[in-house]
Amino acid sequence: MTTRSPLEEVKGVGPAAAKLFGQLGIETIGDLIHYYPRRYDDYSHLQQIKSIKPGHITIKAEIKQITGRYVRRGMHITEAIASDETGSVRLVWFNQPYRANGMKSGQSYFISGTFELTHQKMAIMNPSTERESDFPVNTARIVPIYRETKGLKSAQIRKAVKSVVSLVSTLPETLPSWVTKDNKLMSRSDAVLAMHFPDNSQVLDQARERLGFEELFELVLTAQLIKRDALDEKALAIPFKQKLAASFVSHLPFKLTDDQKRTVWQIYQDMQRESPMNRLVEGDVGSGKTVVATMAALMAMEQGYQVAFMAPTELLARQHAETIYNLLEPLGYAAQVSLLVGSMKPRQKEQARDHIKSGRVRFIVGTHALIQEKVDMHKLGLVIIDEQHRFGVEQRTKLQTKAGHMPHVLSMTATPIPRSLALTVYGELDISIIASKPKDRLPIKTTLISPNSRAELYERVDEQISAGRQVFVVCPLVKESLALAKTKSAQEVHKTISQGPFKHRKVGLLHGQMKGEDKAKVMQAFLDREYDILVATTVIEVGVDVPNATVMMIENADRFGLAQLHQLRGRVGRSQHQGYCYAILSDSQAPSKRLRAFAQTTDGFRLSELDLELRGPGAIYGTFQHGQLDLRIARFTDTKQISLARNAARRFIESHESLLQYKYLAARVHKLRAITTLN
Ligand code: ADP
Ligand code: MG
């Protein structure tokens, strides 16, 4: 029996059970060994029933009188009485009808749950239960609870793991020995063993620390290796021309903020080198990233190099092209700017491509797809990527020019990356942060609105329109959907408000199912103030710039993620006028922590940290999806461990040790390299 053996070689696991294990992704004995518990119930602090107080508690008691019944509208309640020598307590489960069958009256169980008041009586709510007889008395008091599947319970998984314990103790060490020693880490085999059978909570903590460290170390090492390799790539050095930069700045209708200046300076320094720039500019919505990007582009154009600017949507590409055109006009560079988007007429596209090919056009603005695939740029010196996290190794390699040069890459995002992720997953990037907003901006006022207060809200919004301002209304859906009750659609809201409360106003409609051209027309009309209100879907989420708009109403605000809400809010408050964001809730229940935080702060960084805490990295950054990175233990909130892992990775690289002598580590790094983003 080895870690590669199929699961059926485990004693007591037959073909039927193996199939169930397979549903949990466990095919081999190795998979089983690395199937860590989802959580633990601590039975080392058992309480007596007579002394339990409200809150989380664990007791050992005999169960009696289990009954299950349906109450109103399909709601199911299971009730039972649990007793020990000191007293009895009621147990209640909602909507878990299988509970009544799963437990036997008269048997002793470990019971863990929250003791609280429900329907005027105290009870332990939705407790988890484990049969006492499933635990030999003298072993683990901290009980691992695994993710289960129908027909396969934690107790069975525990049993299976138990019968391969001898293999766990032979697991090889995967980290260099000096790394474990310097960081006082448990050996790998001890750690894995403790994950399944912790003797006490301290040992469990140490096991988590060891395994979490390893995950972070792999990530950071990968990032640092990518960064080191990039130093060997060739780029076209773009010298800094002070006069040109000064002339550009002198034509701006405003003064650059200090953060903008510093960022531009960092970019110019990067571009002067012969190895490619790989810089990310993080700046909250409205912090003025476009000007910064244009200044970078200017320097490249001046050398006769081409610049590709990739926006996530056509709408944005069009708007950016216009902005960039206007910024470069006074210097006589406007004629070198060209838009290239799918919805342009074939003849226009043809012409744009010709001009790109001949080099007459040096600044191409388009969508990610178009620029990457269909354009023949012979002197590509700089690539600017707006609002996109996912720009992987592969895409970057595609940019390599025929002459073997790599362009400088400048990415821009308004979704702040929490520092912990910046240091690990995105560790190969250089980062500039534009933290300050242009001075004349007032912070946006955000209010959570209960659906009952709609009428008052509309009055307030109408006052803004009377004052000459414009309004966005964002809905989660394009069309009504029966499947999604209480969820507003743009079409429906457009109809109701333009016939009802805003009959006297001009109301436009914009959504993703419209043709590119039509979208652009509506957007232009809104910019030209032909509409007072624009009802839209999240097509307007990123980047759209309408300085005269001061009100953002978000329907079903609870349906959106924090980052998205923050992006939407950033569409207003882009001028000297006060901006307002009204987040309308789906129902009159108390708003979530997420929404309350959203209303309390306009600080994008704080919100991103909170989002990471509440939802984990997976939900925030697309690349973590599908468990690709396979981070199971590492906590991104543990800054101390991150910094230890970074130091170890740095030392590893400086030591020039060969990665290949650590087979497991090398394989992990290889895998991570292929999936980490933005490099
Ligand atoms: P974002 O960072 O969201 O991409 P933009 O580049 O679209 O922001 O800039 C938002 C608005 O602020 C634009 O209208 C731009 O002209 C203006 N702007 C940029 N920098 C400054 C500045 N230093 N002072 C005043 N306004 C500025
Ligand atoms: Mg922008």
Side-chain angles (χ1 to χ4, degrees), residues 256-535:
L256 291 178
T257 61
D258 287 346
D259 283 347
Q260 282 173 317
K261 282 187 211 160
R262 183 181 35 78
T263 302
V264 170
W265 178 242
Q266 287 169 332
I267 293 169
Y268 283 156
Q269 302 264 308
D270 289 350
M271 294 200 311
Q272 292 199 67
R273 301 205 178 94
E274 283 185 352
S275 56
M277 165 168 76
N278 191 13
R279 183 170 290 278
L280 173 71
V281 176
E282 279 184 60
D284 217 340
V285 278
S287 62
K289 297 183 289 292
T290 318
V291 187
V292 168
T294 309
M295 287 188 76
L298 181 64
M299 224 36 89
M301 292 161 81
E302 213 272 332
Q303 310 295 313
Y305 299 141
Q306 286 177 315
V307 180
F309 188 117
M310 308 190 195
T313 64
E314 284 204 3
L315 202 65
L316 275 176
R318 281 175 190 275
Q319 210 174 63
H320 279 314
E322 175 122 9
T323 308
I324 291 161
Y325 184 93
N326 290 334
L327 286 168
L328 292 175
E329 171 96 274
L331 287 96
Y333 280 74
Q336 298 180 22
V337 180
S338 173
L339 181 71
L340 186 63
V341 292
S343 64
M344 277 163 55
K345 301 215 166 67
R347 277 226 357 251
Q348 289 177 306
K349 263 192 267 189
E350 198 58 38
Q351 195 184 31
R353 288 212 181 95
D354 284 348
H355 287 167
I356 291 164
K357 210 164 170 181
S358 72
R360 200 172 126 186
V361 159
R362 293 194 188 153
F363 197 147
I364 305 109
V365 186
T367 56
H368 298 127
L370 215 67
I371 290 186
Q372 275 172 258
E373 278 151 36
K374 312 232 174 78
V375 187
D376 188 6
M377 284 171 283
H378 53 296
K379 286 179 85 178
L380 183 60
L382 172 67
V383 171
I384 301 166
I385 304 158
D386 192 29
E387 309 289 3
Q388 198 193 28
H389 284 299
R390 268 165 291 170
F391 195 72
V393 184
E394 250 171 74
Q395 284 148 299
R396 188 161 165 269
T397 320
K398 267 197 205 151
L399 294 174
Q400 191 139 20
T401 58
K402 290 189 184 106
H405 286 287
M406 201 61 119
H408 296 288
V409 175
L410 180 67
S411 317
M412 302 194 290
T413 181
T415 309
I417 297 177
R419 199 175 140 69
S420 55
L421 292 190
L423 292 174
T424 51
V425 187
Y426 299 93
E428 77 279 9
L429 282 173
D430 293 310
I431 295 183
S432 301
I433 296 175
I434 306 183
S436 54
K437 293 225 181 156
K439 280 205 184 56
D440 54 355
R441 303 283 164 77
L442 301 163
I444 300 165
K445 290 187 178 154
T446 304
T447 320
L448 304 181
I449 305 282
S450 139
N452 315 330
S453 327
R454 226 170 247 283
E456 291 150 70
L457 171 63
Y458 288 160
E459 268 172 41
R460 257 189 281 170
V461 169
D462 203 57
E463 282 166 22
Q464 282 287 309
I465 302 175
S466 296
R469 304 284 84 76
Q470 287 165 287
V471 176
F472 285 109
V473 183
V474 174
C475 306
L477 300 174
V478 176
K479 296 189 185 108
E480 265 174 279
S481 156
L482 287 176
L484 294 166
K486 287 198 206 158
T487 308
K488 298 272 177 198
S489 75
Q491 287 182 343
E492 172 201 349
V493 168
H494 175 258
K495 202 166 138 198
T496 38
I497 67 170
S498 61
Q499 292 175 358
F502 293 103
K503 226 174 18 218
H504 55 301
R505 303 294 184 189
K506 286 161 292 176
V507 187
L509 175 66
L510 183 72
H511 58 73
Q513 289 176 10
M514 289 162 57
K515 277 201 239 135
E517 251 172 292
D518 296 342
K519 274 191 271 190
K521 263 189 216 144
V522 171
M523 207 56 228
Q524 191 56 49
F526 191 56
L527 263 170
D528 295 342
R529 304 197 189 186
E530 284 168 32
Y531 296 120
D532 303 304
I533 302 177
L534 186 62
V535 181

Side-chain angles (χ1 to χ4, degrees), residues 20-132:
L20 294 175
F21 275 100
Q23 283 172 13
L24 296 172
I26 306 170
E27 307 276 350
T28 64
I29 293 179
D31 293 341
L32 177 66
I33 288 174
H34 294 106
Y35 191 73
Y36 301 136
R38 184 165 64 84
R39 63 181 176 86
Y40 300 83
D41 279 342
D42 188 351
Y43 296 152
S44 56
H45 301 288
L46 292 179
Q47 283 169 275
Q48 296 190 314
I49 291 176
K50 74 162 194 254
S51 59
I52 55 176
K53 297 206 168 56
H56 190 85
I57 53 128
T58 305
I59 56 174
K60 191 180 85 181
E62 196 170 292
I63 289 199
K64 288 183 218 147
Q65 297 173 28
I66 313 166
T67 55
R69 69 199 146 91
Y70 281 93
V71 288
R72 70 203 146 79
R73 274 187 286 129
M75 167 87 96
H76 186 275
I77 290 185
T78 309
E79 283 185 282
I81 302 292
S83 319
D84 65 9
E85 317 75 71
T86 68
S88 298
V89 61
R90 210 161 62 99
L91 313 179
V92 177
W93 292 269
F94 284 120
N95 290 332
Q96 302 181 20
Y98 53 88
R99 284 281 175 191
N101 298 325
M103 287 184 303
K104 288 217 173 60
S105 201
Q107 288 205 353
S108 182
Y109 287 83
F110 290 110
I111 299 156
S112 195
T114 310
F115 185 52
E116 64 188 351
L117 191 67
T118 42
H119 302 298
Q120 286 98 47
K121 279 190 249 169
M122 293 300 286
I124 306 181
M125 294 305 299
N126 299 316
S128 63
T129 56
E130 294 285 342
R131 243 190 343 208
E132 195 198 351

